[in-house]
Amino acid sequence: MDQKKIGQFLKTLRKEKGITQEGLAETLHVSNRTISRWETGSNMPDINLLVTLSEFYQVSIPEIIDGERKSEKMNQEAKDTAMKMAEYSKNESSTAKRKAISVLFMIFGVFIMISAFAIFPSESSWGSIYAIVGGVILTTGIYFRMRSSLLKRGARILGIIGCAIVLFGIFTISDYIAVSEFQQVPRFRYETSYGENIVEHKTLFYTVIQKNPGTENERIEITK
């Protein structure tokens, strides 16, 4: 089943009908984006909409699935149609499952990150570890979501890189706010050194000096 061919055929039928994407979307009670994704082959109409499209364009469902008009009907066509409809339904079900799994991954990833910040104190390295694990799970869910949307591989890679950059920014900014506004040591530190009444925490962008740790006179200072 060639989705690109089907999309081009749907586009041709729409133009022959003399109706815009907006007009068709209003008629079918769907969004303009949905019509566009059908005609570019990025997505396919639901099975129930195939019947509506068939009646609207006055073509048969097999013609829509094949992406071309048939000059004559053959007995074998009925069998082919049944097989294609089964494949269509299977692909649709598989796509729906991937979307559901991707949403679960994203929700679980966000839950782990929030839990890591809420449960573990900033002094514990487990908070940063679980936050990073949650970020990886969230990114995985986003990847599966993009894959189920039939995005090209290059677009998926760029999406994952963008997601990683955003998460890195969120972790960095939240860490800086915790240090500067709430006098907490940084969670995402890569080195900690201890001296007499002083602890030095190094991050990628700044160094935090913790003076008199564990006492009433404890102070947190940021240095370059």
Side-chain angles (χ1 to χ4, degrees), residues 2-221:
D2 190 339
Q3 291 190 192
K4 297 290 185 182
K5 184 178 180 181
I6 294 174
Q8 186 60 45
F9 184 55
L10 290 174
K11 182 177 181 180
T12 300
L13 291 174
R14 177 178 58 78
K15 289 186 175 181
E16 289 178 356
K17 196 78 172 178
I19 187 172
T20 63
Q21 288 187 347
E22 291 77 10
L24 180 59
E26 184 176 352
T27 300
L28 299 180
H29 303 293
V30 298
S31 67
N32 297 348
R33 180 177 173 82
T34 298
I35 301 298
S36 176
R37 291 175 67 85
W38 291 350
E39 294 184 355
T40 58
S42 299
N43 208 342
M44 296 292 294
D46 295 332
I47 293 178
N48 59 330
L49 285 176
L50 281 178
V51 177
T52 304
L53 287 170
S54 173
E55 294 174 351
F56 184 78
Y57 288 137
Q58 296 183 344
V59 295
S60 66
I61 292 179
E63 287 175 319
I64 294 177
I65 295 177
D66 283 337
E68 60 184 6
R69 285 189 173 89
K70 301 291 184 180
S71 57
E72 58 183 21
K73 307 298 179 182
M74 299 179 294
N75 293 332
Q76 185 64 29
E77 188 178 56
K79 296 181 181 179
D80 293 340
T81 300
M83 293 179 63
K84 289 173 182 176
M85 289 295 289
E87 180 185 355
Y88 187 96
S89 180
K90 182 179 179 180
N91 290 339
E92 187 180 54
S93 176
S94 178
T95 299
K97 288 180 180 178
R98 286 199 298 269
K99 288 182 178 179
I101 291 174
S102 68
V103 171
L104 290 176
F105 264 82
M106 289 188 286
I107 293 175
F108 187 53
V110 172
F111 173 77
I112 290 180
M113 287 191 293
I114 294 175
S115 299
F117 290 132
I119 296 175
F120 296 99
S122 59
E123 291 83 359
S124 173
S125 60
W126 286 107
S128 59
I129 292 174
Y130 275 100
I132 293 173
V133 170
V136 171
I137 295 175
L138 171 63
T139 303
T140 302
I142 293 174
Y143 174 80
F144 283 129
R145 180 66 178 180
M146 291 188 295
R147 186 177 180 183
S148 65
S149 299
L150 300 177
L151 292 177
K152 293 182 178 180
R153 183 178 179 182
R156 295 199 300 267
I157 293 175
L158 288 176
I160 293 303
I161 293 174
C163 180
I165 292 174
V166 170
L167 285 174
F168 179 78
I170 291 174
F171 290 158
T172 301
I173 294 173
S174 64
D175 219 18
Y176 183 81
I177 293 175
V179 173
S180 60
E181 299 295 330
F182 300 101
Q183 292 290 291
Q184 297 179 2
V185 299
R187 294 178 183 274
F188 300 96
R189 56 191 181 272
Y190 67 86
E191 182 181 339
T192 301
S193 56
Y194 298 87
E196 186 176 354
N197 295 325
I198 191 171
V199 181
E200 185 180 75
H201 307 278
K202 291 184 178 181
T203 71
L204 290 176
F205 302 105
Y206 53 86
T207 299
V208 175
I209 304 299
Q210 183 183 13
K211 297 181 179 179
N212 303 313
T215 67
E216 294 181 355
N217 298 322
E218 181 179 0
R219 286 187 302 164
I220 302 291
E221 297 179 358

